[in-house]
Amino acid sequence: PCLGLVLVAGMCAFLPSGARAQNVWHYSVAEGGGKEFPRKLVLLPPEVGVYELSAGGTIEKVPEWGREAAGHIEREIREFVVGRRDLELVPMVTLSEDDNDLVDRHFAAYTVVATTAHAILQNADPAWAHKRNRFDYTIGPGLRFLKEKTGADAAILAVAEDLVSSGGRKAMVVLGALLGIGLPTGRAYLVLGVVKLDSGDIVWLHSDFSVTQDLKDGAAVEGMITDILRAYERRETAK
């Protein structure tokens, strides 16, 4: 299950001002010029949480909006992969309750690892230079069973959260601007990654942070996913 404001609350506070999109490859893929990128992929259902920010600053999760946004994200990823000759989208199989629980736990681990990796990659502190220069993040080999069950080499994982300002909140922002008071508004955060099933290595990670996009808007999601996957297409020059 989604980690409830891990991204929009925790990460928005943790990320530096002006955080930008980040595209990064596992060092083994980068050093090989993209040749080691897995071909057979299975798409796991995206984990998406959409929240409304009220005029008074209260944050409330809206499940219907989350399902709508997840549908947009899954559709755009699926259409991209299916349309490529160098990739194969492997159908997901029906899993047991225990297997689904294992997938959920690794998805939660991916959320923490991926968002932490994004923050570190944005950080200029020399202490993290080794991680910026040699990306080697992993969530462990616990999803190896999916390779055996599906025949896929890797899984596509998408995690997103969106904080949407209510009408009242938008009015407060406008009023605050007139009075010279800055009030926080909505923002969206999307992390798309490819994880090798045998090792758990994150072979590709792209994170996008926006204060303008609305994940409930299909056209906005299409543009966001298109920009992200264009970065994937540059894997041949990853080194």
Side-chain angles (χ1 to χ4, degrees):
C2 226
L3 293 184
L5 294 184
V6 164
L7 303 183
V8 295
M11 290 309 299
C12 288
F14 186 42
L15 289 172
S17 176
R20 62 192 184 278
Q22 183 74 51
N23 185 66
V24 64
W25 304 87
H26 191 273
Y27 73 88
S28 62
V29 177
E31 292 173 359
K35 296 178 182 179
E36 300 301 320
F37 197 86
R39 178 175 180 273
K40 292 185 176 181
L41 307 175
V42 61
L43 174 59
L44 301 185
E47 293 283 0
V48 183
V50 180
Y51 302 80
E52 185 174 49
L53 177 62
S54 72
T58 301
I59 297 175
E60 181 178 357
K61 188 173 185 179
V62 185
E64 181 181 352
W65 291 355
R67 290 190 292 270
E68 182 180 359
H72 293 323
I73 293 170
E74 182 170 359
R75 182 189 68 247
E76 294 302 327
I77 295 173
R78 187 175 297 277
E79 288 182 358
F80 175 84
V81 177
V82 170
R84 294 191 63 90
R85 294 182 178 180
D86 58 338
L87 298 176
E88 178 183 349
L89 190 62
V90 177
M92 186 59 173
V93 298
T94 301
L95 301 177
S96 67
E97 185 176 343
D98 287 344
D99 284 347
N100 274 317
D101 180 65
L102 194 56
V103 170
D104 286 345
R105 285 191 277 121
H106 281 79
F107 219 131
Y110 166 79
T111 301
V112 175
V113 172
T115 52
T116 300
H118 173 78
I120 288 174
L121 289 167
Q122 298 276 350
N123 194 326
D125 190 332
W128 296 109
H130 63 295
K131 285 296 186 182
R132 292 192 298 272
N133 297 332
R134 187 178 174 86
F135 185 86
D136 61 354
Y137 286 88
T138 182
I139 62 172
L143 293 179
R144 184 175 294 160
F145 74 96
L146 279 182
K147 181 173 184 176
E148 300 169 358
K149 289 181 178 291
T150 66
D153 300 315
I156 305 173
L157 288 80
V159 179
E161 291 198 12
D162 194 359
L163 187 60
V164 181
S165 291
S166 66
R169 183 68 178 185
K170 293 176 182 178
M172 289 286 291
V173 170
V174 172
L175 178 60
L178 293 174
L179 298 175
I181 301 172
L183 294 174
T185 58
R187 58 190 65 197
Y189 191 71
L190 173 62
V191 184
L192 182 61
V194 174
V195 176
K196 290 187 71 173
L197 294 175
D198 56 357
S199 64
D201 290 346
I202 301 176
V203 294
W204 176 60
L205 181 70
H206 190 105
S207 45
D208 207 352
F209 181 81
S210 173
V211 296
T212 60
Q213 302 287 22
D214 182 351
L215 298 182
K216 306 190 310 306
D217 182 346
V221 171
E222 179 181 3
M224 205 169 184
I225 294 294
T226 297
D227 287 345
I228 288 174
L229 293 175
R230 279 175 182 162
Y232 158 79
E233 292 176 324
R234 294 196 294 270
R235 72 193 186 284
E236 290 82 4
T237 58
K239 187 173 180 180

